[in-house]
Amino acid sequence: MTYQTVETARRALALQFKSAAIDSAELDARLLTGHTLGLDLTGMITAAQRQLTHDEFARLENYARRRLAGEPVARIVGEKEFWGLPLRLGPATLVPRPDTETVVEVALEVMRTGGALDRPLRIADLGTGTGAILLALLSELPAATGIGTDISEAALQTAAANATRAGLSERATFIACDYASGLSGLFDLIVSNPPYIRSADIGGLAVEVRNHDPLAALDGGADGLDAYRALVPQSASRLAPGAALVVEAGEGQTGQIEALMVAAGLTPAACPKADLAGIPRAVAGHKTAR
Ligand code: GLN
């Protein structure tokens, strides 16, 4: 394989990824070439005919090898965009998924319906990881403040760095605890994307997930619902009257999560919201308004 110009390098990489049956071959080739050269899409078009240096070529080949071995592009470049925010990743965080933006959409709809968008809302994000959901919400709710919790100190450091980078650090705090166990006071909105994969299904996940996302952020126990059994009742006792819990669900889990909400005294919203693939993904439950 010869990498001469930016353009031929990118094309050769895309072909290589395609023949390895990587779905996002074109995009991955563009992102890795751009990362190697420190160029965005426009920069790459402008530089299309420029020759790669020996060093750039070697770095690109190294990235290509890693991608072909199953490492996701987001891990290689060390960040992923979520809700328009560039988020750093760490070994203790998931790569934020577009599916999870469904949780942000539902949370914002719930706040909009309650006429609360401009209020000084108190938000909690349980198992915050990169801080993705919390920071997306704070970026949309100018008067809100939020707390992200995680059992991983390393994840909390990543989340705090992401808050600073997004200019949201004054409204975001991060604390180490299991879900809502370390929180005090009442919240207007609690969100979470907990681990929900059944333990027995972990081995069948794509190599990008199985070998590169942290197990603690994936494994939801025998039936995938362990995290909800902990966090739904914890959250119910931390919600202000009329406040809402919005969680991400694994495929086929929304009914069982709704049942856990009912058992904890919450009223599930009429219908879970589907992600872009049409899979019911975000479940909301309300605490009765007094
Ligand atoms: N959405 C992730 C996946 O499909 C799982 C994340 C989670 O368990 N919350 O692999």
Side-chain angles (χ1 to χ4, degrees):
M1 185 175 49
T2 48
Y3 288 174
Q4 296 121 345
T5 66
V6 171
E7 179 62 14
T8 55
R10 184 191 60 72
R11 281 210 204 132
L13 206 59
L15 279 178
Q16 231 189 336
F17 290 169
K18 253 179 226 155
S19 50
I22 293 173
D23 287 341
S24 48
E26 286 288 347
L27 178 63
D28 288 6
R30 227 183 307 133
L31 290 170
L32 289 179
T33 309
H35 183 63
T36 303
L37 303 168
L39 296 173
D40 61 13
L41 189 54
T42 322
M44 275 209 298
I45 293 168
T46 314
Q49 302 310 319
R50 162 160 105 57
Q51 296 276 311
L52 261 66
T53 67
H54 180 76
D55 180 57
E56 287 166 345
F57 179 77
R59 262 190 299 144
L60 189 56
E61 276 210 312
N62 177 42
Y63 294 151
R65 247 194 313 277
R66 287 167 62 181
R67 181 67 196 94
L68 290 166
E71 189 170 349
V73 165
R75 295 278 172 202
I76 297 171
V77 307
E79 69 175 50
K80 172 82 178 177
E81 190 173 299
F82 180 85
W83 203 266
L85 303 171
L87 299 177
R88 297 297 301 177
L89 310 174
T93 73
L94 284 179
V95 175
R97 316 278 206 269
D99 301 344
T100 303
E101 294 184 336
T102 313
V103 174
V104 177
E105 286 167 17
V106 169
L108 291 174
E109 277 166 26
V110 167
M111 293 298 106
R112 192 174 299 124
T113 308
L117 291 183
D118 298 323
R119 288 225 315 268
L121 300 166
R122 244 186 128 216
I123 302 172
D125 178 10
L126 315 179
T128 195
T130 57
I133 305 176
L134 179 64
L135 297 176
L137 289 171
L138 293 179
S139 77
E140 297 286 343
L141 301 166
T145 55
I147 302 180
T149 74
D150 209 288
I151 49 168
S152 162
E153 291 281 357
L156 292 170
Q157 280 171 23
T158 303
N162 283 328
T164 301
R165 184 173 181 192
L168 297 168
S169 59
E170 284 180 9
R171 294 192 285 129
T173 49
F174 297 96
I175 65 168
C177 69
D178 204 17
Y179 301 118
S181 62
L183 298 179
S184 53
L186 295 179
F187 291 81
D188 302 292
L189 174 65
I190 300 181
V191 290
S192 184
N193 171 24
Y196 55 62
I197 309 289
R198 282 185 291 270
S199 303
D201 293 343
I202 302 270
L205 297 174
V207 63
E208 282 83 351
V209 178
R210 173 165 39 92
N211 289 354
H212 297 281
D213 277 320
L215 184 62
L218 296 173
D219 191 345
D223 64 355
L225 298 167
D226 282 0
Y228 303 100
R229 275 188 284 269
L231 77 84
V232 170
Q234 284 177 3
S235 300
S237 66
R238 289 274 153 241
L239 288 174
L245 168 66
V246 183
V247 297
E248 179 163 329
E251 201 165 347
Q253 292 175 335
T254 56
Q256 288 154 299
I257 295 169
E258 286 167 345
L260 288 169
M261 287 180 169
V262 170
L266 301 178
T267 308
C271 186
K273 189 176 176 87
D275 63 21
L276 291 173
I279 297 166
R281 189 59 77 186
V283 184
H286 287 82
K287 183 119 162 188
T288 312
R290 268 199 302 256

